[in-house]
Amino acid sequence: MNAERNFDLIFNKNEAVFSRNDFIKKFEKQNIEVWLKREDLLHAEVSGNKFRKLKYNVLKAKALQKSQILTFGGAFSNHIAATAAAGRIHNIPTIGVIRGEELKKDLQKTLKSNPTLKFASENGMQFHFISREDFRRKNDSDFVESLHHEFGDFYLIPEGGTNELAIRGCEEILSESDKEFDVICVASGTGGTASGLINASAENQKVLAFSALKGEFLKEEISHFSNKKNWTLVSDEHFGGYAKINEELVSFINDFKTEFGIQLDPIYTGKMMFGIFDLIEKNHFPENSRILAIHTGGLQGIAGMNRYLEKKKMSLIIE
Ligand SMILES: *Cc1c(COP(=O)(O)O)cnc(C)c1O
């Protein structure tokens, strides 16, 4: 997994690249093994599943000779950070339409207090801050039309990066040898990554999508993009909702790092891993199951979360 080689493979060629699987732990009681697919190591700046989701979109934008890429995201979005880096690497200017009009009032202050936007800005991303109300209209054609009016021609990537090409990229996460696993686990935001994994999974495998958000709407999203039924949405391991955090989650992430030497993020992979261990404790999985969890990356979000934890006088995530 050489970053330079991956850069070339991911953004310039129609070739798949595979990450390694690390053994994490054997639960002796049920004879269950947990392994972790290290997608977080694919690329230093275009991390984890965002690398998969951007690959064919960047190739398409280049093939169409688009002069810029426009996408949407929250102020701490992994997708925004990854898109900015991919744009810099490819010399394609990027525009980030960011939720939160108030952030533009004092941009220097915003960049100082927000490591994600600072990183994106340093990678040349131009920001367009909009209200939460407008942000909800991000998929409306008249709203997109108004963006074209303002910015001219661009290649559009939806919020979170999920579209047909993103799912095609995520289908490349699993390799042939991963067929030996019984269960594949992944954290889900838009469900795009889970859909790619489901499409690439074998009939006898089961995909568990751990929702990072409250609610069941992901079921519909995943059904829309995937072509099989061998999956389940786990919708009660999100710690109260998107980006919600407590001391238990922070200490789980820190203990996991101490024990296994692997960093998890607080929004997605930390909650998924906590959920997997929790379900094993509750005897959810059959004996002798072999579980492959996907480390989808997202570590850039830790710095921003730590600023929040600091303000709340809570324990920090050890980086
Ligand atoms: C974006 C992201 C996800 C969610 O991916 P979806 O395809 O939107 O479900 C999971 N993990 C990490 C680390 C992410 O950054």
Side-chain angles (χ1 to χ4, degrees):
M1 281 180 291
N2 173 298
E4 285 303 311
R5 179 180 152 270
N6 286 355
F7 159 75
D8 190 49
L9 281 175
I10 283 144
F11 291 122
N12 295 328
K13 294 182 189 162
N14 276 303
E15 262 177 68
V17 52
F18 299 111
S19 59
R20 80 172 193 242
N21 295 340
D22 286 352
F23 173 71
I24 297 298
K25 181 169 171 166
K26 182 164 177 170
F27 290 76
E28 298 290 347
K29 189 168 68 129
Q30 304 98 326
N31 191 36
I32 289 177
E33 279 187 14
V34 178
W35 291 69
L36 192 58
K37 183 170 278 292
R38 300 298 305 278
E39 292 280 291
D40 55 316
L41 302 177
L42 277 178
H43 193 278
E45 295 171 318
V46 191
S47 159
N49 64 339
K50 299 306 182 286
F51 176 109
R52 302 291 186 183
K53 296 172 98 170
L54 284 167
K55 173 182 172 182
Y56 289 110
N57 277 297
V58 170
L59 289 173
K60 181 81 179 283
K62 288 176 88 171
L64 294 172
Q65 297 187 312
K66 293 285 181 181
S67 60
Q68 48 189 1
I69 289 174
L70 179 142
T71 194
F72 302 88
F76 294 95
S77 158
N78 294 329
H79 168 66
I80 287 293
T83 304
R88 188 209 74 233
I89 290 166
H90 279 282
N91 262 323
I92 302 180
T94 54
I95 301 161
V97 182
I98 310 294
R99 188 196 302 112
E101 223 173 2
E102 71 283 358
L103 297 169
K104 79 173 165 207
K105 253 190 238 144
D106 185 346
L107 187 60
Q108 286 319 311
K109 191 171 155 220
T110 294
L111 297 183
K112 233 174 138 179
S113 63
N114 185 321
T116 301
L117 294 181
K118 181 165 180 281
F119 173 85
S121 171
E122 284 166 358
N123 279 272
M125 181 175 265
Q126 177 190 350
F127 298 129
H128 181 55
F129 295 99
I130 62 173
S131 67
R132 281 156 181 78
E133 207 171 32
D134 278 348
F135 198 85
R136 278 193 284 274
R137 297 173 56 217
K138 60 188 181 280
N139 297 325
D140 296 357
S141 58
D142 58 337
F143 186 69
V144 173
E145 195 48 51
S146 75
L147 291 171
H148 276 296
H149 222 81
E150 184 154 358
F151 297 105
D153 191 33
F154 51 72
Y155 181 84
L156 187 142
I157 301 180
E159 185 188 16
T162 291
N163 58 17
E164 297 287 348
L165 290 176
I167 283 147
R168 191 171 141 209
C170 290
E171 288 169 5
E172 296 179 351
I173 294 173
L174 294 178
S175 70
E176 198 50 39
S177 59
D178 293 333
K179 295 235 182 327
E180 66 178 275
F181 291 97
D182 304 299
V183 184
I184 294 153
C185 295
V186 67
S188 288
T190 64
T193 309
S195 299
L197 290 166
I198 293 162
N199 293 347
S201 67
E203 292 303 327
N204 59 320
Q205 291 180 311
K206 177 135 195 182
V207 177
L208 250 59
F210 288 76
S211 180
L213 307 94
K214 234 190 263 187
E216 302 268 319
F217 73 94
L218 268 178
K219 275 189 186 158
E220 216 172 295
E221 296 296 308
I222 296 174
S223 307
H224 174 72
F225 284 113
S226 63
N227 51 25
K228 295 200 198 88
K229 301 259 177 280
N230 58 334
W231 58 277
T232 306
L233 181 72
V234 181
S235 52
D236 53 3
E237 298 280 2
H238 50 58
F239 284 77
Y242 185 74
K244 294 278 192 297
I245 191 162
N246 62 20
E247 290 286 349
E248 190 182 20
L249 181 62
V250 173
S251 60
F252 176 81
I253 289 169
N254 289 339
D255 291 349
F256 191 91
K257 184 166 183 181
T258 307
E259 194 172 348
F260 308 111
I262 297 172
Q263 181 85 63
L264 301 174
D265 85 291
I267 316 277
Y268 295 104
T269 55
K271 292 180 180 179
M272 169 193 69
M273 216 58 200
F274 184 98
I276 293 170
F277 285 11
D278 187 39
L279 289 177
I280 293 172
E281 294 298 337
K282 292 175 178 159
N283 293 316
H284 171 87
F285 300 104
E287 281 184 12
N288 310 317
S289 292
R290 302 190 74 227
I291 299 173
L292 180 65
I294 314 296
H295 194 320
T296 40
L299 304 180
Q300 72 84 28
I302 294 172
M305 182 59 89
N306 270 341
R307 291 187 181 215
Y308 169 83
L309 292 170
E310 211 170 359
K311 260 191 232 149
K312 295 269 169 192
K313 303 206 183 332
M314 290 168 68
S315 311
L316 302 188
I317 298 162
I318 300 160
E319 284 187 83

